[in-house]
Amino acid sequence: MGERKKYAIIVAAGSGTRMGGDTPKQFLSIGGKPILRHTIEQFLSLSFPVGIIVVLSPEKKAWWKQYCTDTGFLERYAVPSGGITRFHSVSNALQYLPDDTVVAIHDGVRPFVTTEFLEKMFAAGEEMGNAVPACPPVETVREVSGPESYVLRRDDIRLIQTPQVFRSEVIKAAYKLPYDPSYTDDASVAEAAGYRINLVEGLRYNIKITTPEDLEIARLRLGKATLASRD
Ligand code: C5P
C-alpha cells in the first residue's frame, strides 16, 4: 500500500446547527456509540497503520476525553482544537501532519465509510497527489437565480464526499492560502492553489449526517449493523 506513512485528519469541531438541538451530530449515539467513534473505528481497522488526528472544539475536548476513559476507547491520536470554520479546523490539524506522508481528510459525521473504500482512496491519493470521491446526482438538478430557475445537465454534475486524500506537500501548500468563504472542502482549497483535482468514484451510502432525516437513516443502518455483529 504505497511507500509513505498514512495519516487521517478527522474533522469533528462543527457545532451542527442544521440538526437543531444542542449536541453536535458527531457526538449523537447510534447503535450504542457516538457517530464520531464509528468513524474513527473505520480508520483503526485498516490493514496498515494510520496516524490519527481528531479535531475537536475546545468546549468538547474534556467531554470526549471523559467518554473515552469511561468506555475504554483509548486516545491513540492527536487532538488539535477546531477553528471558526472547517477550513480553520483543517488548517490547525495540518500543523500535526509530518512531511512526506499521505493524508485522508474526512468528516467526523461520515461513519459509513468502509475500510475497502478508504484503502482505495489512500492508494489513489498517494499515486496522483490528490484524490476526491464523487457521485453523480440521481435527481435532476436546477440552478436558482432569484425567482427564476434553470435545469442543469445532470451528466455534468458531481456530488463531492470525503475522505479527500492528498500528499502532504500538496495540502500543506494549498492551506497557505488565506481563507475564502467559497472553500467548503479541501479540494476547493487545493484547486484555488492551482492543483488539478482527480475525481474517483464515490460511495453512495457514505452520507454526511447533517439533518434529523439523515440521523434517522443512519440509526436504521448502523443499528442494524450493530445487531448483526452481535449475532
Ligand atoms: O459544517 P460542515 O457540514 O461543512 O461540516 C463538515 C465537517 O467539518 C463536520 O464533521 C464538522 O464537525 C467539521 N467542522 C469542523 N470545524 C468547523 C466546522 C465544521 O471541524 N468549524
Side-chain angles (χ1 to χ4, degrees):
M1 171 51 75
E3 293 291 306
R4 294 180 174 214
K5 282 198 169 164
K6 312 290 183 291
Y7 281 80
I9 292 175
I10 301 174
V11 283
S15 57
T17 46
R18 279 171 287 184
M19 184 68 83
D22 288 342
T23 305
K25 55 222 161 171
Q26 58 273 26
F27 302 114
L28 298 175
S29 184
I30 328 183
K33 290 182 212 170
I35 290 171
L36 178 59
R37 178 167 175 174
H38 287 284
T39 307
I40 296 172
E41 283 178 343
Q42 292 311 305
F43 285 88
L44 294 175
S45 22
L46 292 173
S47 62
F48 47 84
V50 178
I52 294 182
I53 301 165
V54 180
V55 190
L56 292 175
S57 66
E59 313 81 80
K60 277 290 172 189
K61 275 189 181 181
W63 183 89
W64 183 250
K65 198 174 168 65
Q66 191 63 51
Y67 165 79
C68 291
T69 308
D70 291 350
T71 59
F73 184 56
L74 295 176
E75 281 192 63
R76 282 163 290 172
Y77 41 83
V79 188
S81 289
I84 186 100
T85 70
R86 188 183 185 285
F87 175 94
H88 298 93
S89 293
V90 172
S91 200
N92 290 351
L94 287 173
Q95 318 286 326
Y96 291 71
L97 180 67
D99 288 338
D100 302 316
T101 57
V102 53
V103 63
I105 307 179
H106 189 59
D107 295 328
V109 287
R110 292 187 190 263
F112 298 123
V113 69
T114 62
T115 50
E116 295 75 23
F117 186 67
L118 286 174
E119 292 182 6
K120 171 177 112 168
M121 291 305 304
F122 268 114
E126 181 160 5
E127 192 191 318
M128 299 189 284
N130 74 70
V132 172
C135 289
V138 286
E139 285 154 306
T140 297
V141 185
R142 295 180 73 83
E143 180 175 340
V144 291
S145 171
E148 309 296 330
S149 73
Y150 311 91
V151 72
L152 296 179
R153 273 176 51 95
R154 186 167 63 187
D155 290 351
D156 294 342
I157 306 280
R158 293 293 179 273
L159 304 177
I160 302 302
Q161 306 180 332
T162 72
Q164 301 183 357
V165 180
F166 302 87
R167 289 191 205 138
S168 52
E169 64 275 18
V170 169
I171 200 66
K172 285 189 182 190
Y175 270 84
K176 290 207 167 83
L177 286 174
Y179 172 66
D180 185 283
S182 68
Y183 300 152
T184 50
D185 69 348
D186 310 294
S188 45
V189 185
E191 181 177 57
Y195 294 98
R196 179 183 167 279
I197 298 304
N198 303 303
L199 298 184
V200 172
E201 191 183 351
L203 188 65
R204 193 168 289 286
Y205 59 75
N206 174 28
I207 63 166
K208 179 176 172 192
I209 302 174
T210 307
T211 65
E213 293 81 6
D214 298 333
L215 185 65
E216 206 171 313
I217 293 167
R219 287 210 161 112
L220 285 171
R221 185 176 171 81
L222 270 184
K224 212 158 64 187
T226 308
L227 286 177
S229 69
R230 285 202 197 112
D231 289 344

